[in-house]
Amino acid sequence: MNALALPVVLPLLAAFLVRPASLVSSGLARWLGPLVLLLCGAMLVDIALLADGQPVSANIGDFAPPLGIVFYADSMALLFAIAVPLFALLLWPREGMREGGDRVSALMLLLVGSGTGMALSGDLFNLYVFYELLAVASFGLVAASGSARAYAATVRYLLISGFGSVLALIGVALIYTQTGTLNLAQLSEFAPERLANPLGLAAFACLLIGFGVKAELFPVNAWVPEVYATAPKRVSALLAGVVSKLAILVVLRLILLVFDLPEARQMVLVLGLIGLVSGELAAWRARDLPRMLAFSSIGQLGLLFMAMSIPGELGLIAALAVALHHLLMKPALFLLAERWSGGIENLAGAGRKAPLAAGLFTLFALSLLGVPPLPGFWAKLVLLLGLGQQDAVLAQAAIFGVLLMAVVEAHYLFRLVGLLYAKTEHDATPHRMGDLAVASLLGVVLLASMPLLPALAEGLGWMAHQASDVAAYRAMILDSRIPGVAP
Amino acid sequence: MHKLASLLFAMGLAALLIGLAAQLPLGMTPMGVGQAILERAPGETGSANIVTSVVLAYRGIDTLGELAILFAAATVAGLVLAPSIHAESQAKAKPRDDAGLVLRAGSDLLFPLLLTVGFYIVLHGHLTPGGGFQGGVVLAAAFFVSFLARPAKQPSHVGITLIEALAGASFIGIGLAAFFGGGAFLQPLLDKGTLGQLVSAGSLPLLYLAVGLKVGAELSGLLAHLAE
Amino acid sequence: MNPPDLITILISGGIGLVAIGAVGMAVSRHLLRLVLALALAEAGANLLLVLAGYRWDAVAPILTGAAMTRPMVDPVPQALVLTAIVIGVGVQALAVALLIRVKEAYGTLDIRELKTRVEQEICGAAGIAPPESANKPGSSQPYPVPVTTSRESA
């Protein structure tokens, strides 16, 4: 299905044309972005409906893989690909930007294009290129707030991300010298013989850390607190919610297809555990809301990495559940933090002035913590079940870590909620209508998913089954090796 | 403490890389994809420079991503460096004298030469080493040189923005033309011609022309922003 | 030169560049040096990637009119490195633009100083007190109060 390339390419085209469009008419420039995003979202939904649950693929340029690049869309990829323009529309930056409004539009469009590309691509270097595009677009969006501290935070993010991409390039070079190909399907074919050795593991480690910068993985997440605190909160919401999931999707594909080795999974588990512990402890000590949310995000993504380390379909289900829950919850929390971006002490009594916001915040906090029957509980439960099924000491230690950190989370979250409803006077600025609306929408979706849980669980299970069917992936892509024959 | 840890990490990285490199099958890599491309590229794309056929045909969407990255970097630089509400930008009033005679005369001489060399490299991308990116940088160098000699005469921002945008859009446009013509996105179009001729390799030289113009315009715009 | 020696030199060069870049990023205090170290590391990584396509005694993958008797190197890493170099250049240009603004705003490019000032700014914007410096004296009166001798007041 050749139209699969369009949702990636059209936002790029629109990004190139935004600035000349603003020369023609400023209204056109303002609406070009959201319209293109709507179009791409509709196209992706259309593809999903046409595909009817079966994976589809597209050979770019009609060059059969492994010579050319292939886009592969199974249900998991389509889910995240649809989430990108959807959340970009919901979190479209407001007029709070300076007169560089059309540049910000262009950067958002580039973010969407590269994000969709990352979700759909089936070629290692193509994933790297889209990852870099995502990085540069996010640098721009963070720096767009114009404050000096945002510039300083962006520089730090840039340096860490740059070093990560150096490591990722080294990983790609290592893989290429061993296997001679960059196509994920062909790599999964060659992996058992050529990559299941220390060299392959080293390549995986390089790629993990390289792509892990955006996924807030343990050694390379020093940029997170300052960036989330100084960027406009919608941008933080986008970064923490959507962008990190895309990076994690890439790592997930690598683990599933190419590096299905126990040592690789152990590496991911250890880094995830350290991230969880360090993130939650730092969140406990944080004294202002945006950074508390940032550290908590590091912790949650550590949980997600731990879920990815569980082998088999259960691991995938756990990872998808935690990822989707975080995707819904974190942007909403950051939106609520837009007006509450002060110190935690200063929030005392804010709940009485803004009941809807405080109610939403409490809802999301409870779900983050994992209080039944909210979805967060089920996600953590599946994770703990998956970890419990393994015999390794590390997995048992991981279970202990998760439960301990849940206690820490409970402490700082309940402290915050208690403060919100304290009996003191508070002089808060009310939330903007748009932010509250989007946060409420996400809250409604979260609540609505509760009665639908059995159906959701079945859907996730089927998605996991499809995604872990590596043989089918290979068959679909590599069987179109004869040029000119579209699958 | 933090420094010590980072230093140890860097040393460890170096040791790791050396250990890895010792095991690599260097000079004898299994050239799976590479060999196949070497055999098929001239026939399939008609370009004598096989790297060009990889960059524009087999991995065209990587090149599109790369163009987008340059565009994003230039956009962010423009966003960050835009003459803003900072009062410091009033210091622009400092006089920008032209440079001395040697620099001016040299730049007047070099400007057309650099433009020619740049366009030569861009247009011959499918025959000799070179191509859009390399040629685009030389084109931008032409503008750099004239700017260094006469700092007061800046390239016009509107013009640069238009060239940049239209060149980028035409790259995607050529790709979309292939798509709407019934094939896949970025499938090579037009007749392949005879190998080794200037007019050959179908739409590849056109793609590289778009790339060259875009890169040249972008880098010139970047310099203009940096100078303000 | 024997082929093994050439490739060894090149690979050590590539690894050396990456290591120098990494060490530079670890120990530098000045932001511009950090950016330059990153540029070095990127150059090293690009070199390593090109070397992934190296073959002994081979020529560049361009077809000239002459008959082909020698093998050609792998064209794919060369295309990859083209892309990687351009990406690196874009990021470096962006970094320099940001450094200009940071220097303008803070007057310094030293990372330690910047760290404390950014922290202070974030805390200030949030309305909370900045974290206390480790060098702060233990109590508010560090020195014993000098005892006035009664001789003067006598």
Side-chain angles (χ1 to χ4, degrees), chain A residues 98 125 128-129 132 136 139-140 143 147-156 158-160 162-163 165-167 169-170 172-173 176-177 180 182 225-226 229-230 287-288 291 341-346, chain C residues 18 22 25 31 34-35 38 41-42 45-46 48-49 51-53 74 76-77 79-81 83-84 87 91 94-95 98-99 101-102 105-106 114-115 118-119 121-123 125-131:
Chain A
R98 302 171 302 163
F125 194 72
Y128 172 78
V129 170
E132 288 297 311
V136 177
F139 296 156
S147 62
R149 53 184 185 274
Y151 292 147
T154 313
V155 171
R156 189 154 193 209
L158 190 152
L159 289 172
I160 295 184
F163 189 67
S165 58
V166 167
L167 279 181
L169 267 184
I170 295 181
V172 170
Y176 194 77
T177 48
L182 291 167
E226 284 157 21
T230 57
R287 291 176 301 137
D288 57 316
R291 279 194 289 185
S341 60
I344 299 207
E345 319 299 330
N346 299 348
Chain C
V18 174
M25 286 187 79
L31 271 181
L34 282 173
V35 173
L38 182 64
E42 277 174 6
N46 291 334
L48 287 176
L49 191 49
L51 289 174
D74 196 339
V76 173
L80 301 182
V81 167
T83 307
I87 294 177
V91 169
L94 177 53
L98 281 171
L99 284 187
R101 275 290 187 238
V102 166
Y106 289 108
L114 280 176
K115 197 169 157 115
V118 168
E119 177 74 29
E121 255 191 54
I122 295 181
C123 294
I128 50 181

Side-chain angles (χ1 to χ4, degrees), chain C residues 27-39:
Chain C
V27 300
S28 293
R29 276 181 49 176
H30 193 265
L31 271 181
L32 188 59
R33 287 194 199 155
L34 282 173
V35 173
L36 291 175
L38 182 64

Side-chain angles (χ1 to χ4, degrees), chain B residues 63-79:
Chain B
T63 308
L64 177 58
E66 182 185 351
L67 276 183
I69 291 180
L70 254 189
F71 173 76
T75 304
V76 178
L79 187 61

Side-chain angles (χ1 to χ4, degrees), chain A residues 18 25-38 89 92 105:
Chain A
V18 165
S25 114
S26 72
L28 178 62
R30 269 184 55 186
W31 290 104
L32 183 60
L35 281 176
V36 168
L37 290 186
L38 265 177
L89 268 176
W92 191 260
S105 264

Side-chain angles (χ1 to χ4, degrees), chain C residues 2 17 28 54 57 68 76 111 135 139 153:
Chain C
N2 299 330
L17 277 176
S28 293
Y54 181 73
D57 224 22
M68 297 311 307
V76 173
I111 51 174
N135 298 330
S139 69
S153 55

